[in-house]
Amino acid sequence: MKSSKSASRYAQALLDLAIEQNKVDAIAADMKYMATVCAENRDLELMLESPVVKADKKIAVLNAVFDQFDKATASFVELIVKNGREAYLPQIAESFDAILKQYLGIIPVTLISAHRLDDKVKKEIVSKVQNFTSGTVELTEKIDADLIGGFIVRMGDDQIDASVASQMNKLKQRLTR
């Protein structure tokens, strides 16, 4: 699910609150848990989006499901529901993670390869990427057999495509011209 501007703004407000109250870790854990629960439970998302279910019932359900939440997180969720923005809660939780990583200087990098790469190669790729960034690299590895060989590195809006499939497509385009 893509994040909307509203969800990003709410997530930023929640991060500001967390920083102000020195509860960044607790609220981050709450938002991560909320994102996981919402992703795994479509019924919860449908209930949040439903205009038929009243706000007080939604608050009661959310308090029951997320009873272990920090008081600041619970108050924030209640405020969101009272303002009629409860459908944004899954997006807010996802946006919070991205905004928190940006605040902490963590740069998410996705490494896509045709097969599992050994640790030496991964470390070399991460060190090369680290030379171009000023933060800490968080590597996520994905396997895509369609690449045939090589790899693709994605970092934000930037992409380095060193895959065999890409090179073959470029060669094919040159030959057909």
Side-chain angles (χ1 to χ4, degrees):
M1 179 181 281
K2 285 197 170 184
S3 178
S4 68
K5 279 187 178 183
S6 297
S8 295
R9 288 180 181 150
Y10 283 119
Q12 183 64 54
L14 182 59
L15 179 61
D16 293 343
L17 177 70
I19 293 167
E20 180 181 308
Q21 294 186 0
N22 275 341
K23 296 182 176 183
V24 174
D25 293 336
I27 293 176
D30 293 345
M31 288 291 105
K32 189 170 193 169
Y33 181 66
M34 178 181 280
T36 302
V37 169
C38 289
E40 293 174 355
N41 192 338
R42 180 72 178 137
D43 291 337
L44 180 62
E45 279 193 76
L46 291 174
M47 186 268 308
L48 290 173
E49 293 171 359
S50 174
V52 176
V53 181
K54 301 293 181 211
D56 58 334
K57 295 289 183 187
K58 290 178 182 181
I59 291 171
V61 168
L62 290 170
N63 286 337
V65 172
F66 303 115
D67 61 342
Q68 76 282 4
F69 272 12
D70 184 83
K71 193 172 186 175
T73 308
S75 297
F76 178 81
V77 169
E78 189 172 326
L79 181 66
I80 294 292
V81 175
K82 284 181 180 177
N83 287 332
R85 302 287 193 233
E86 61 274 6
Y88 290 121
L89 280 172
Q91 295 173 340
I92 292 170
E94 290 175 13
S95 294
F96 184 85
D97 184 52
I99 291 172
L100 179 64
K101 285 179 182 177
Q102 184 179 11
Y103 171 74
L104 296 174
I106 297 171
I107 298 145
V109 174
T110 304
L111 174 63
I112 306 166
S113 60
H115 54 84
R116 193 156 195 70
L117 299 174
D118 62 356
D119 290 336
K120 183 181 176 185
V121 174
K122 280 194 275 189
K123 285 180 184 177
E124 189 174 328
I125 292 171
V126 168
S127 70
K128 297 279 186 191
V129 170
Q130 191 71 47
N131 292 337
F132 294 104
T133 64
S134 59
T136 306
V137 173
E138 180 184 67
L139 186 69
T140 305
E141 190 176 5
K142 294 183 180 178
I143 307 297
D144 183 2
D146 292 339
L147 295 181
I148 304 170
F151 60 87
I152 298 173
V153 177
R154 289 189 183 137
M155 182 177 64
D157 292 337
D158 298 326
Q159 175 172 303
I160 300 168
D161 192 345
S163 66
V164 173
S166 172
Q167 292 172 4
M168 288 176 62
N169 282 336
K170 288 177 186 175
L171 182 62
K172 180 181 174 183
Q173 287 176 354
R174 276 194 235 149
L175 290 173
T176 56
R177 284 188 207 164

